[in-house]
C-alpha cells in the first residue's frame, strides 16, 4: 500500500468514527424502524398517538437538533438516545397519548411569568412526546422552533414534526449535557420531573423510567452506566 493510499484509508476510518460527533446519521442507524415500532406497537390499537407519532417525523425534527445523539463517546451518544426514548415511552404510554390525559382540567398557566403571559382561553398542559407544559415553556419553545407557542399551543398535538421538535428542544436545554457528560440517567429524571419523583417522592415512577432506559440500552448493546436513579 502506498503512503498516500495508507493516509487516505486512515482518514476514511477517522471520518467514519467521527460521525458520532460531527453528524446525525448514526442516530437514524440506532433509531431503526424496528426500535421505534417496537415502542409504539405496544400502545393500544385505538391510541391517538399510534397514527400521530412516526419515525419519519422524529428524524425530520432531528434535523433541527444536530447535537442530539452525536456528542461524547459513542456509548454515551447511544445512552442519550436510550434515555430520551425511555422518557418518551413513560410520558406518553408507549406513544399512546399526544395530550396529557387529565391536562384539560388545568391550564398550566403561571400568571407570575410576565415574559411569557398566558393567552385567555389557552391551555398549556402536557402535549407531545415529553408532554411540554406551562406557558414559560410553550413561549420560548415556539420562539426557537418557529410557532406561536402562546397563541397556538394546540399545534404541538396536531403537527407531529413540531411535536417532536418541542421534545427535542426541551431535552437539549435540560437533559443533553447531563447525559453526555456521564452524570447518569438519574440526572435526566431530575431535570424532567425531579420535584414530583426524586428524593423518594415517587420511587415507583422512577423505577418505571429506569426500566425503560435499561431495556433500550440492552437493545443498543451498551452498558446503562451508573447513577440511574435520582
Amino acid at each position: 500500500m502506498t503512503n498516500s493510499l495508507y493516509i487516505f484509508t486512515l482518514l476514511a476510518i477517522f471520518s467514519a468514527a467521527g460521525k458520532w460527533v460531527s453528524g446525525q446519521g448514526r442516530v437514524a442507524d440506532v433509531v431503526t424502524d424496528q426500535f421505534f415500532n417496537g415502542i409504539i406497537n405496544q400502545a393500544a390499537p385505538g391510541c391517538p398517538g399510534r397514527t400521530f407519532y412516526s419515525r419519519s417525523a422524529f428524524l425530520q425534527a432531528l434535523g433541527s437538533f444536530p447535537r442530539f445523539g452525536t456528542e461524547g463517546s459513542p456509548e454515551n451518544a447511544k445512552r442519550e438516545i436510550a434515555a430520551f426514548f425511555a422518557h418518551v415511552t413513560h410520558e406518553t404510554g408507549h406513544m399512546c397519548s399526544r395530550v396529557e390525559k387529565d391536562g384539560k382540567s388545568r391550564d398550566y398557566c403561571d400568571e407570575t411569568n410576565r415574559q411569557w403571559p398566558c393567552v385567555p382561553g389557552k391551555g398549556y398542559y402536557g402535549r407531545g412526546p415529553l408532554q411540554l407544559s406551562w406557558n414559560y415553556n410553550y413561549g420560548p419553545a415556539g420562539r426557537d422552533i418557529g410557532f406561536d407557542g402562546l397563541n397556538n399551543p394546540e399545534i404541538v398535538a396536531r403537527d407531529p414534526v413540531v411535536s417532536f421538535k418541542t421534545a427535542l428542544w426541551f431535552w437539549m436545554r435540560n437533559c443533553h449535557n447531563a447525559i453526555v457528560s456521564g452524570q447518569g440517567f438519574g440526572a435526566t429524571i431530575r431535570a424532567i420531573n425531579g420535584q414530583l419523583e426524586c428524593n423518594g417522592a415517587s420511587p415507583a415512577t422512577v423505577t418505571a423510567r429506569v426500566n425503560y432506559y435499561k431495556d433500550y440500552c440492552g437493545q443498543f448493546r451498551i452498558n446503562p452506566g451508573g447513577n440511574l436513579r435520582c
Side-chain angles (χ1 to χ4, degrees):
M1 181 182 293
T2 65
N3 287 338
S4 59
L5 181 58
Y6 177 74
I7 293 172
F8 177 81
T9 301
L10 285 178
L11 288 174
I13 294 172
F14 291 146
S15 176
K19 285 184 180 180
W20 281 110
V21 296
S22 64
Q24 65 190 64
R26 288 285 187 174
V27 178
D29 292 341
V30 175
V31 184
T32 61
D33 283 323
Q34 181 180 3
F35 172 75
F36 191 95
N37 293 335
I39 298 173
I40 203 167
N41 286 344
Q42 294 186 58
C47 288
R50 287 187 65 126
T51 56
F52 180 74
Y53 298 115
S54 68
R55 177 176 177 267
S56 61
F58 165 72
L59 294 178
Q60 187 174 341
L62 185 65
S64 297
F65 301 90
R67 294 172 58 208
F68 176 83
T70 64
E71 295 188 331
S73 68
E75 190 170 56
N76 268 359
K78 286 185 177 181
R79 283 176 181 152
E80 177 171 25
I81 299 169
F84 175 81
F85 278 99
H87 289 299
V88 167
T89 302
H90 177 79
E91 294 288 325
T92 61
H94 291 91
M95 300 191 210
C96 175
S97 177
R98 291 180 290 176
V99 179
E100 187 178 12
K101 292 180 181 179
D102 62 348
K104 293 185 178 181
S105 64
R106 294 182 58 187
D107 288 337
Y108 285 84
C109 169
D110 179 4
E111 295 181 354
T112 66
N113 190 292
R114 303 299 181 186
Q115 183 178 5
W116 305 106
C118 304
V119 174
K122 295 296 180 178
Y124 304 102
Y125 43 80
R127 297 181 178 92
L130 288 184
Q131 298 291 280
L132 187 74
S133 305
W134 297 100
N135 50 307
Y136 52 73
N137 281 321
Y138 273 89
R143 174 200 61 196
D144 295 344
I145 294 170
F147 69 97
D148 191 340
L150 295 179
N151 285 286
N152 187 23
E154 299 88 356
I155 194 174
V156 180
R158 294 175 179 170
D159 185 318
V161 176
V162 171
S163 195
F164 268 116
K165 281 185 177 182
T166 64
L168 289 165
W169 172 88
F170 182 90
W171 182 268
M172 297 305 295
R173 285 169 60 103
N174 298 282
C175 304
H176 171 77
N177 289 336
I179 195 72
V180 300
S181 65
Q183 295 179 42
F185 181 70
T188 66
I189 302 175
R190 188 173 298 280
I192 289 174
N193 219 17
Q195 185 176 358
L196 297 177
E197 298 180 19
C198 296
N199 302 319
S202 182
T205 305
V206 171
T207 297
R209 294 183 190 268
V210 171
N211 285 342
Y212 287 130
Y213 172 65
K214 291 168 68 176
D215 178 16
Y216 299 156
C217 284
Q219 292 186 44
F220 298 159
R221 299 182 180 180
I222 57 171
N223 189 305
N227 301 319
L228 300 184
R229 305 179 69 89
C230 60

